[in-house]
Amino acid sequence: MPIYHAPTKDMQFVMHDVLKASEQDIPGYDELDRDFTAAVLEESGKLATEVLAPLNTVGDTEGCVLENGVVRTPTGFKEAFDQMRDGGWTALDCDPDYGGQGLPYLMHTAAQEPFVSANMAFNMYQGLTHGAYTAIHIHGSEQQKQTYLPKMTTCEWTGTMNLTEPHCGTDLGLMRTKAVPQDDGTYQISGQKIFISAGDHDMAENIIHLVLAKIPGGPDGIKGVSLFIVPKFLVNEDGSLGERNGVSVGKIEEKMGIHGNSTCVMNYDEATGYLVGEAHKGMRAMFTMMNEARLGVGLQGYAQAEAAYQNAVAYANDRLQGRDVTGAKYPEKAADPIIVHPDIRRNLMDQKSFVEGARAFTYWGAYLIDRAHKTDDAAAEGLISLMTPVIKGFLTDKGFEMAVNAQQVYGGHGYIEEWGMSQFARDARIAMIYEGANGIQALDLVGRKLAQEGGKHVMAFFEMIKTFIKDNAGQDAAFDKDFLDPLKAASKDLQTAGMYFMQNGMKNPNNALSGSYDFMHMFGHVCLGYMWARMGLAARDALAGGASDTRFYETKLATGRYYMARQLPATAMHLARIQTGADTVMALDAANF
C-alpha cells in the first residue's frame, strides 16, 4: 500500500518563513502563530495518514454503486466522513454566524492539502460543499443563508455545482435546462446535468444542488443564465427535511480515476428550485464558486504529485539495481539503490522542486484571496484574478506530469496496480480537465485577464517582480547568480511574450490565442521562480540567523537552485514558440487533419 505523511515542516516554512502569516495586517492572521498552525496541521496530517490514506485504494477498487436511486460510497467512507465532520475540518474558514470557525482561507487551504494528497476522491465531497457554501454565503438571501449554511458548514448537508449538460460544457449559453416561475416565487427546474461530482451519496442527510438554468423569455446566451438552489429533500420552515424533490441520479459515470467520488448524471423533473441572487445573473454567482474551486483544483495537482513523490523516493532508496558509475556506494549489497543514478536524481528533483514551488504558489494565492476579501484590497483582487487560471492550469498540467514521473521511477512496478502509482496518475489526470479544461484557462488568461482594466494587473505583477529583484540584489553575489538573475531573465521573456500579443494579436487574434497555452506555462514558471526566490531568501536568512535545522534550509536552497537552473529556462522555449505566431498552428484545413 502506498505511503503518505503530511509535509508539515515545509507547510510551516511557507506559511511563516516565506509568507510571514502572523505578521500580516489581515483580520484573523494574528491568530496564525507557529504553535497554532503547527497544532492544526499536525492533526490534519494525522487524520490524512491514519484514516484517509488507507481508504484511497479502497475507493479506487470499489468505486461507488447506484442502488435503488441512492449512491453507496466505498467501504469506510461514511465513517471517515463522520470523523472529518466531528473534527470540525469542514468548517475551518466558514462564517461563525453559521457555525464556522472563522479562520483565514489560507489556514483552510493548508489544512486541506493533506486530505487531498491522502484521498483526493474522498475530499471532493466536502470540497464541493465548501464551494457551494461560498456561493450562497456571498449571493444568497438572508433566508437562504439561515436555511442552508449551518448544515453545509458542518457537512450534515453537502453541496454540488451543476453546470455541464450533454451538449454543452464551456459554452454555457447553449444550455437547455429551464426554470419555470411559479406563483409562490419558486421555480420548476427541468433538464439534465452531467459530470456532477458528489452528485449523490449516502454520507449526508441532504444534498444542496446549485443548478444553472434559463428562465423562459430571458436574454439569449450566457446573459440569460440564472442560478438556483435545488435541494435533494425540500426543507420545511422549521428546518426539518420534507418530501423528496424532483431530482434523481440517472447513472454514475465510469471514469479513469477518482473512483471513490460519485460523478453523476443528474435528472431534474420539475424539481422545486429557489433563485439565488438576481434573475439572469447566475454566472456571477457561479464564478464565485468556480474561482475558489480552481485554486482548489490547482492544489489537487501538486497534492497528488506530493503523494506520488513520497512513494517514488521510498522506492528509489529501496530498489537495488546497477552500480553507481563513480563506484559502488553499497559494496556489501548485490547492487546499489537506484537513487544513486543521475537520471533518477533528475526525475526526483523535477518532482521535488515542482511540488515545493507549487505549494508556495498556492498558499500565496490563498493569502491574496484573504487580503482581497478581508481588507477590500483591489490590487490583491486583481492579482489573484490574474493568477487563478495559472494556478489551475499550470499546476495541474505539471502535477500530472510529476505523478507520471513518480510512476516512472518504479519501472515495471509502476504499471502494476498493486503498487498504487497508477492511481496517483489517473486521479491527477482529471484536474487538467474539470473546472474548465486547461486550454480554456489559457484562453481566459490571454483573452481576458491580460487586458483587464487596461492591463493594470499584469503590469502590477511585473512591477512586483522587478521591485523584489531590486530590493534584494547586490547583497549576496551567489544568491544573485542562482536566484535573482534567472528570475529576471524569465520575467523578461514573459514581458516580451506579452508585447508580442499586443503588437500582433490585434491584427490577427489567432497570433495571441495560438500562443496562449505556452504563455500560461511561461507565467507558471515565472510564478514558481518568484516563489523559489522568496523561499531561497527565507532559507538563506534562516541560516544566517543561526537556525538549528541547517539541513532543512540547505536542502531548500539546493532544491531552489535546481529549479532556477533546470526548469525556469523553459520560458525561453515557450517564448520561441509564441513568436512563431499562428501560421503553423492554423496551416491545415479542418479536412486535412
Side-chain angles (χ1 to χ4, degrees):
M1 179 182 293
I3 60 168
Y4 172 72
H5 299 285
T8 52
K9 187 173 184 64
D10 198 62
M11 297 158 78
Q12 284 279 88
F13 168 74
V14 174
M15 292 185 72
H16 298 289
D17 293 59
V18 180
L19 297 179
K20 301 188 183 302
S22 62
E23 301 173 24
Q24 301 297 327
D25 59 340
I26 301 173
Y29 271 55
D30 57 336
E31 299 179 36
L32 303 183
D33 61 67
R34 285 182 185 267
D35 289 343
F36 175 75
T37 58
V40 173
L41 295 179
E42 287 295 334
E43 288 302 311
S44 168
K46 185 178 178 181
L47 179 63
T49 299
E50 296 180 2
V51 178
L52 303 188
L55 295 175
N56 200 36
T57 302
V58 175
D60 189 52
T61 54
E62 288 188 14
C64 297
V65 179
L66 180 61
E67 295 179 345
N68 301 319
V70 177
V71 173
R72 305 297 179 193
T73 51
T75 302
F77 270 43
K78 192 173 190 303
E79 293 76 11
F81 205 64
D82 288 341
Q83 282 187 253
M84 182 165 281
R85 262 195 299 249
D86 294 344
W89 296 107
T90 65
L92 280 187
D93 68 325
C94 294
D95 190 336
D97 288 345
Y98 306 104
Q101 299 175 40
L103 291 170
Y105 183 63
L106 172 61
M107 191 71 250
H108 163 84
T109 300
Q112 287 287 304
E113 182 191 320
F115 302 154
V116 178
S117 286
N119 197 325
M120 176 173 156
F122 173 88
N123 199 63
M124 288 170 63
Y125 292 99
Q126 70 144 336
L128 271 295
T129 304
H130 193 278
Y133 159 92
T134 300
I136 296 173
H137 187 262
I138 294 175
H139 299 283
S141 67
E142 189 57 39
Q143 181 182 4
Q144 288 171 344
K145 294 177 188 179
Q146 294 293 342
T147 300
Y148 300 105
L149 294 189
K151 298 283 190 179
M152 295 178 75
T153 296
T154 60
C155 273
E156 292 171 80
W157 298 352
T158 59
T160 70
M161 51 198 297
N162 287 236
L163 291 78
T164 306
E165 299 183 7
H167 61 283
C168 74
T170 301
D171 192 354
L172 292 171
L174 298 176
M175 73 174 55
R176 296 171 185 159
T177 300
K178 63 180 181 179
V180 179
Q182 304 298 296
D183 292 339
D184 62 359
T186 64
Y187 291 77
Q188 281 189 346
I189 312 296
S190 298
Q192 185 179 78
K193 299 289 185 177
I194 63 171
F195 307 154
I196 308 307
S197 301
D200 195 80
H201 56 87
D202 55 359
M203 301 190 297
E205 299 171 352
N206 202 3
I207 300 176
I208 310 306
H209 302 287
L210 291 190
V211 182
L212 287 180
K214 287 187 172 183
I215 301 171
D220 292 334
I222 201 71
K223 293 181 179 180
V225 173
S226 302
L227 182 64
F228 299 89
I229 294 172
V230 187
K232 177 179 177 179
F233 292 97
L234 297 174
V235 181
N236 298 320
E237 288 188 13
D238 64 358
S240 62
L241 297 184
E243 64 185 41
R244 177 72 183 258
N245 206 353
V247 53
S248 62
V249 180
K251 71 170 184 174
I252 299 176
E253 301 284 8
E254 293 187 22
K255 312 184 296 292
M256 176 181 175
I258 53 169
H259 297 151
N261 195 266
S262 53
T263 306
C264 299
V265 173
M266 302 300 300
N267 296 321
Y268 294 88
D269 184 14
E270 295 187 346
T272 299
Y274 307 90
L275 180 66
V276 178
E278 299 177 46
H280 317 309
K281 303 289 185 183
M283 289 309 299
R284 183 173 63 177
M286 188 57 82
F287 270 117
T288 296
M289 186 160 59
M290 288 177 69
N291 284 337
E292 176 186 300
R294 284 171 176 169
L295 185 137
V297 173
L299 186 151
Q300 287 179 340
Y302 83 77
Q304 287 299 286
E306 167 70 49
Y309 165 74
Q310 289 188 19
N311 286 274
V313 170
Y315 185 86
N317 277 289
D318 185 64
R319 174 72 167 177
L320 301 181
Q321 191 162 298
R323 288 295 188 188
D324 188 325
V325 69
T326 64
K329 289 294 185 287
Y330 296 86
E332 74 282 5
K333 296 182 178 181
D336 287 332
I338 62 173
I339 199 167
V340 305
H341 303 307
D343 193 62
I344 295 293
R345 292 291 187 98
R346 172 203 58 78
N347 192 332
L348 293 174
M349 286 296 284
D350 280 351
Q351 296 172 55
K352 180 177 174 63
S353 63
F354 164 73
V355 167
E356 293 179 14
R359 175 176 296 116
F361 186 22
T362 303
Y363 287 17
W364 179 51
Y367 154 81
L368 289 173
I369 288 174
D370 279 331
R371 179 163 288 284
H373 293 174
K374 292 178 178 291
T375 68
D376 294 323
D377 187 327
E381 182 68 53
L383 200 52
I384 190 56
S385 176
L386 178 70
M387 293 293 107
T388 296
V390 183
I391 291 172
K392 195 281 181 185
F394 181 70
L395 296 191
T396 59
D397 273 359
K398 301 300 281 189
F400 171 70
E401 179 184 328
M402 296 308 151
V404 171
N405 283 0
Q407 184 184 29
Q408 187 74 12
V409 171
Y410 279 67
H413 288 142
Y415 203 66
I416 303 300
E417 289 294 342
E418 70 180 88
W419 288 83
M421 300 308 289
S422 164
Q423 185 184 354
F424 294 128
R426 288 184 287 105
D427 286 358
R429 184 64 181 87
I430 185 56
M432 299 165 66
I433 298 172
Y434 62 12
E435 301 305 337
N438 286 353
I440 299 298
Q441 303 301 322
L443 295 180
D444 178 46
L445 175 64
V446 171
R448 293 180 61 245
K449 299 298 175 60
L450 287 187
Q452 217 168 32
E453 296 189 48
K456 174 182 176 181
H457 305 308
V458 72
M459 294 307 295
F461 173 83
F462 288 133
E463 188 60 32
M464 177 186 68
I465 300 293
K466 181 180 177 182
T467 300
F468 173 82
I469 294 172
K470 182 180 178 182
D471 288 348
N472 293 288
Q475 303 168 26
D476 180 338
F479 187 80
D480 289 0
K481 175 178 174 290
D482 293 341
F483 288 91
L484 298 186
D485 291 348
L487 177 60
K488 184 177 183 179
S491 178
K492 193 170 291 185
D493 285 343
L494 188 63
Q495 291 181 66
T496 302
M499 288 298 297
Y500 175 85
F501 290 156
M502 289 178 60
Q503 294 165 359
N504 296 275
M506 294 297 290
K507 291 180 288 186
N508 179 4
N510 283 338
N511 282 326
L513 300 185
S514 294
S516 60
Y517 213 93
D518 281 286
F519 189 80
M520 180 179 73
H521 273 248
M522 284 183 79
F523 218 134
H525 277 299
V526 172
C527 287
L528 260 63
Y530 174 52
M531 289 296 106
W532 269 117
R534 290 181 63 173
M535 288 191 286
L537 192 65
R540 185 197 70 181
D541 291 349
L543 289 169
S548 58
D549 192 355
T550 57
R551 183 178 177 182
F552 174 83
Y553 293 110
E554 288 170 353
T555 299
K556 185 64 67 175
L557 282 166
T559 307
R561 282 192 287 266
Y562 179 90
Y563 191 87
M564 305 306 268
R566 298 284 300 232
Q567 293 295 319
L568 195 54
T571 58
M573 175 194 69
H574 290 298
L575 175 60
R577 289 175 175 175
I578 287 169
Q579 289 176 327
T580 64
D583 289 348
T584 55
V585 174
M586 306 300 291
L588 297 182
D589 292 332
N592 294 335
F593 278 93

